[in-house]
Amino acid sequence: MAPDPRSGGSATGVGASIVRPDAIAKVRGEFEFATDLRAAGMLWGATLRSPHPLARILKVDLTPARRIPGVRAVLGAWDVPVNTFGAVDKDTPVLADDMVRYVGEPVAIVAAQSPALARQAIDAIVVTYEPMRPVTDALEALAAGHVYRHVSMTHGDPDVVGEVQAEGEYLTPRQDHSFLAPDAGLARPDGRDGVEVIGASQWVHADREQIAACLALPEEKVLVVNSGIGGSFGGRVSMTWQVHGALLALHTGRPVKFVYSRHETFLARYHRHPSRIWLRHHANRDGTLVKLEARILLEDGPYSHTAAAGIGNSCSLIQGPYNVPNASIEGWAVATNNGMCGSMRGFGVVEPIFACESNMDRLARTLGIDGAELRRRNLIRSGDTWTFRQVQDRPAPVSELVDLCQAMALPPAPSADRPMSARVALPGGVATPTRPRHVRRGIGLAAAVKNTCFSEGCPVNSTALLTLHNGIATVDCAAAEVGQGFVAVAIQVVQSTLGVNEVRVAACDTGMPPAASTDAQQQTITSGPAIHLAAARLKERFLQFFGREHGLDAATLDIRDDFVVSRQGGRLASVAEAGMGLVFRATERFDQRTTRPVDDPHATEPVHVALSFSANRCVLDVDVELGLVRVVQMDVVQDAGRVANPALALGQVTGGSLMGLGFALSESLEYRDGRPVNGNWRDYRLPRMADAPVVNCRFVERPVPGIPFGFNGIGEMPHVQAPAAILSALRDATGLDLPAAPATAGRIALTGSDAVPMRLSDSALEAFKGPGRARIGKFLRFQRVER
């Protein structure tokens, strides 16, 4: 088991709860976030956005904006050298040209002396639109053939039929990242016909590649610098203002700053995919799983972005952490005009785990078996083969996770005669109308699996440069720090490997060699080893130097706590004194194993670099009359490989669990006729601190083979397992099916309204499999919705 993060532990190195280097500045309000950036002579940027979900652009008149004193630039699509970009498929316009395809799509940009002038200029631009009927329903998009990727997988004998079957259809919502800091940043000309772009990013080298391509510049002419980030959760992997800022900076010759409003951040952001998933589990009467049938429909926006990767992840992990000998799985990523969808914490996996665990609850009820026991009987083990034909050749301690989770102490049962001072803990919180006699306690369990690192053939590697000068080690690694604490982990890896305690981490920018993206809970398992390898090589060089200088065999030497020591014991000299005035450097790259597409029937490589597991037992109280819910406690046990920093790991689990609570009970970005109806924090219902439950967390450490320190991913898993556990507990308390998230008060209390409208029916699928299929490529690289 990992050490308790509250118990102190060793002072430095991997396994210690060291304080992250940016913590004090953030607490004092001294840390510079992207919204705080300033530059001499700075202009302010603003964006004109489409009010229509789908329309032809008949005319754009920029002249009224250009006439306003203090406005320095007004640009349209014709001013963009290469007007498409994208993290995967480059099919998204920088500025809309002949069509707009979602509400909020950028149409024109301005730079002005002040934010007020910039907004005035945006309001002065005249655009003539011809509105068209948008595609707003995923089933309609499927039937019409607006499909980015279709995945079809079989495993074992897909014709096998189990003695008992349980099937259901499950819906999940569009979720917003809702990070504290809105999209913001600064672009400025570098004086050498290039541009510097400073802002919040999860992958600076990918941003540079896209920005340079749009500007028709060599990549060396674009420097991308990662600024302080006020939260990310997958949202910063997609560019919003960056190309706009760079264009305006080059056009005006002056720095240009963008700061989006909260409403604009909702419009510009790529949200979690809404999903519709049908599942049928086949089992023997003893509960042993025999087969899984699944159909998955993910809704994407009018540009493909990361659609192919999302549906690939969903199809591969729809089986959950269970051994399923036979399977038939199909999935579709479809295009609508309901805004853009893309990467968010637990990308492509939160949705299928919710559906899988919900249907496992249904199967348990059908069989009359306790849900935890049904899961125990089917958990995957090392040596088992996944439905995507990958052998689980790494540790899979899922049974241990479930047992430890179930062994945690339960909170006190609710009492009908609680004092008034305790009523704040009732569903509804302060001033709740809940009457204690209507409160029911529910306990639910969910088990989950999540891929670590990019999958399906996407390269995963990272590079680190380590410098040692006068006893101080400096890490240069373009691994983006987005609030997750990798800056602390980098320091700890150097402390453990090199033996030097004073370690500094340089700012992240594209002047460094490329590093892995801060996605897919992969930074520690990918950039951590790169830093370890560089530290090991630097240590070797330093000891060789010291050995030559002192007539000693380098093999008999080591570095511990800033001192060169003999391996038999005894300090010989401090590292600072031994290398005074000299600079030692080492650069190393770490590559993960090659992967393949999930639906390639011939390739033998794995689909995922690694997998991590978790179990969550949720305890909650629900007012069955009013539908109000209070999550009392979540007991989480997570597979962690090796925990680098227990305090940071606990923070990831606590924060991710709260995000999962929002997904389960309140968050849903709603669209009506292609227009967002709650795109602000007044109407979009985020969890509050008063909603936060007690989160008890333990880590099981089973080091991942072939990875220095045995690291695995941690950060995304808490969000993956929390919604399923919460809904499981709600079903236990209410007896309702609750196949849709979020389980709002209306869905719980108003006649138990939990039916799924417009089912992913056989008729819709048959229509797709007929003439529709002929219109679909496996990966459509430039699919646009036009009606």
Side-chain angles (χ1 to χ4, degrees):
M1 300 296 294
D4 189 321
R6 291 154 291 198
S7 65
S10 60
T12 62
V14 171
S17 291
I18 73 166
V19 176
R20 47 186 297 170
D22 54 357
I24 302 303
K26 287 181 175 178
V27 170
R28 291 176 173 171
E30 299 167 353
F31 187 81
E32 185 178 66
F33 292 96
T35 49
D36 301 318
L37 294 170
R38 292 288 188 277
M42 182 180 75
L43 300 172
W44 290 83
T47 308
L48 176 66
R49 298 184 179 277
S50 165
H52 302 289
L54 184 66
R56 296 190 187 280
I57 298 176
L58 303 180
K59 184 179 180 181
V60 179
D61 186 0
L62 306 179
T63 304
R66 288 173 173 159
R67 290 174 178 163
I68 298 173
V71 173
R72 302 303 180 200
V74 185
L75 306 179
W78 50 88
D79 296 303
V80 186
V82 179
N83 194 30
T84 56
F85 73 100
V88 180
D89 291 338
K90 294 172 174 51
D91 66 345
T92 306
V94 176
L95 295 172
D97 40 25
D98 58 332
M99 300 279 293
V100 290
R101 296 176 174 85
Y102 66 94
V103 171
E105 181 164 6
V107 176
I109 51 176
V110 305
Q113 292 290 132
S114 69
L117 273 177
R119 290 192 295 270
Q120 182 182 347
I122 286 297
D123 292 340
I125 296 172
V126 179
V127 183
T128 305
Y129 296 100
E130 180 187 342
M132 306 172 72
R133 179 181 174 272
V135 176
T136 60
D137 181 78
L139 282 173
E140 179 186 352
L142 175 64
H146 296 308
V147 178
Y148 292 124
R149 184 185 182 188
H150 171 226
V151 175
S152 182
M153 301 163 45
T154 59
H155 174 62
D157 182 0
D159 296 323
V160 167
V161 176
E163 296 173 337
V164 178
Q165 301 175 25
E167 70 174 277
E169 190 156 342
Y170 305 96
L171 300 179
T172 66
R174 177 182 277 101
Q175 186 181 22
D176 183 69
H177 305 84
S178 283
F179 29 66
L180 285 176
D183 289 82
L186 180 75
R188 59 189 177 198
D190 65 3
R192 300 182 299 276
D193 300 321
V195 66
E196 182 179 350
V197 179
I198 312 168
S201 172
Q202 289 181 233
W203 198 0
V204 291
H205 284 85
D207 287 0
R208 180 181 70 172
E209 177 189 357
Q210 297 173 74
I211 295 167
C214 292
L215 301 177
L217 290 175
E219 287 189 17
E220 59 267 23
K221 288 287 188 180
V222 177
L223 176 67
V224 178
V225 180
N226 199 29
S227 68
I229 295 182
S232 183
F233 319 120
R236 313 286 190 181
V237 75
S238 310
M239 295 197 305
T240 51
W241 65 272
Q242 285 89 339
V243 180
H244 300 162
L247 281 166
L248 290 168
L250 291 175
H251 191 84
T252 61
R254 293 172 61 177
V256 178
K257 180 176 180 178
F258 275 84
V259 178
Y260 287 1
S261 67
R262 179 58 54 185
H263 176 63
E264 189 173 17
T265 294
F266 267 89
L267 291 178
R269 179 58 45 219
Y270 294 68
H271 305 100
R272 185 186 299 286
H273 308 87
S275 78
R276 184 182 301 269
I277 301 174
W278 172 85
L279 276 179
R280 181 187 289 141
H281 280 111
H282 295 245
N284 292 330
R285 297 193 185 281
D286 66 357
T288 304
L289 290 177
V290 172
K291 186 175 73 171
L292 171 69
E293 297 173 272
R295 291 168 180 155
I296 307 168
L297 185 61
L298 296 187
E299 179 184 337
D300 281 273
Y303 307 107
S304 61
H305 191 46
T306 55
I311 193 61
N313 251 17
S314 293
C315 289
S316 69
L317 296 178
I318 186 68
Q319 73 183 88
Y322 306 109
N323 184 29
V324 179
N326 307 287
S328 174
I329 299 167
E330 284 196 274
W332 299 266
V334 300
T336 73
N337 298 108
N338 291 329
M340 294 300 293
C341 296
S343 177
M344 188 175 174
R345 195 174 194 171
F347 175 55
V349 183
V350 176
E351 304 91 328
I353 291 298
F354 172 80
C356 173
E357 290 298 280
S358 297
N359 211 58
M360 287 291 283
D361 281 348
R362 181 170 292 187
L363 179 61
R365 293 195 302 270
T366 303
L367 291 166
I369 297 176
D370 175 71
E373 179 57 29
L374 175 65
R375 287 166 170 83
R376 282 193 192 93
R377 295 180 188 182
N378 293 285
L379 292 171
I380 200 158
R381 295 174 172 82
S382 295
D384 289 342
T385 300
W386 294 89
T387 57
F388 43 90
R389 297 186 301 105
Q390 178 172 333
V391 176
Q392 180 58 30
D393 59 355
R394 307 289 180 92
V398 203
S399 181
E400 183 179 358
L401 303 180
V402 171
D403 290 344
L404 288 170
C405 190
Q406 290 290 86
M408 286 188 179
L410 289 167
S415 172
D417 57 353
R418 70 180 72 200
M420 288 300 295
S421 60
R423 288 181 62 84
V424 68
L426 287 170
V430 178
T432 179
T434 288
R435 288 175 283 190
R437 67 175 181 272
H438 291 140
V439 176
R440 302 288 182 271
R441 168 68 50 95
I443 302 176
L445 178 77
V449 60
K450 170 72 177 65
N451 62 298
T452 300
C453 301
F454 287 153
S455 302
E456 292 201 89
C458 185
V460 178
N461 54 69
S462 197
T463 307
L465 166 66
L466 193 64
T467 304
L468 181 63
H469 180 57
N470 293 341
I472 301 172
T474 301
V475 179
D476 284 88
C477 182
E481 170 60 53
V482 299
Q484 84 279 27
F486 183 73
V487 286
V489 173
I491 291 170
Q492 292 174 265
V493 169
V494 175
Q495 290 171 338
S496 288
T497 305
L498 181 59
V500 170
N501 288 324
E502 188 168 353
V503 184
R504 300 170 183 173
V505 180
C508 165
D509 62 53
T510 53
M512 304 174 181
S517 171
T518 303
D519 291 285
Q521 54 185 20
Q522 72 175 352
Q523 240 7 318
T524 297
I525 193 177
T526 302
S527 295
I531 293 170
H532 162 77
L533 293 174
R537 179 62 60 87
L538 189 150
K539 181 177 183 177
E540 177 186 0
R541 291 174 179 171
F542 182 89
L543 292 177
Q544 286 174 348
F545 160 79
F546 186 87
R548 286 194 305 269
E549 291 292 306
H550 296 83
L552 298 172
D553 183 358
T556 67
L557 304 176
D558 199 359
I559 301 176
R560 297 177 196 154
D561 291 327
D562 300 317
F563 281 86
V564 180
V565 300
S566 69
R567 293 193 182 272
Q568 289 73 35
R571 293 181 174 181
L572 302 178
S574 73
V575 173
E577 292 171 350
M580 181 63 69
L582 299 177
V583 177
F584 300 84
R585 287 195 177 91
T587 301
E588 292 289 334
R589 169 170 159 155
F590 181 76
D591 282 277
Q592 297 283 11
R593 56 183 179 175
T594 303
T595 58
R596 61 169 170 86
V598 67
D599 51 352
D600 187 334
H602 305 296
T604 57
E605 295 89 356
V607 169
H608 302 296
V609 169
L611 294 153
S612 58
F613 304 93
S614 182
N616 183 326
R617 184 184 65 187
C618 176
V619 181
L620 57 76
D621 294 334
V622 55
D623 182 332
V624 293
E625 180 188 45
L626 300 178
L628 301 175
V629 178
R630 168 71 174 168
V631 177
V632 178
Q633 181 171 305
M634 279 197 268
D635 301 316
V636 179
V637 185
Q638 188 161 323
D639 162 36
R642 172 81 183 277
V643 178
N645 186 311
L648 292 179
L650 176 62
Q652 288 291 308
V653 170
T654 304
S657 297
L658 191 60
M659 288 186 74
L661 184 150
F663 180 99
L665 297 179
S666 63
E667 292 186 52
S668 180
L669 182 57
E670 301 291 338
Y671 274 72
R672 185 176 302 128
D673 299 325
R675 292 176 169 81
V677 298
N678 60 336
N680 56 72
W681 278 356
R682 182 184 64 249
D683 301 317
Y684 183 81
R685 295 190 56 229
L686 289 167
R688 304 161 299 169
M689 286 305 298
D691 300 314
V694 172
V695 179
N696 298 312
C697 178
R698 298 181 70 180
F699 295 102
V700 170
E701 292 186 300
R702 296 291 180 270
V704 177
I707 304 295
F709 297 103
F711 292 140
N712 203 341
I714 289 178
E716 293 190 311
M717 179 59 80
H719 196 345
V720 172
Q721 38 83 1
I726 293 168
L727 267 291
S728 180
L730 264 178
R731 295 184 191 103
D732 179 60
T734 65
L736 295 172
D737 219 14
L738 298 174
T744 59
R747 283 178 169 156
I748 295 169
L750 300 181
T751 67
S753 178
D754 57 353
V756 177
M758 294 185 66
R759 302 183 67 84
L760 185 58
S761 64
D762 288 337
S763 59
L765 288 174
E766 289 305 317
F768 165 74
K769 290 178 178 178
R773 173 167 287 184
R775 298 196 296 271
I776 298 159
K778 186 175 181 182
F779 290 86
L780 292 191
R781 302 191 64 83
F782 205 73
Q783 172 72 41
R784 293 185 175 184
V785 179
E786 296 183 9
R787 293 293 298 261

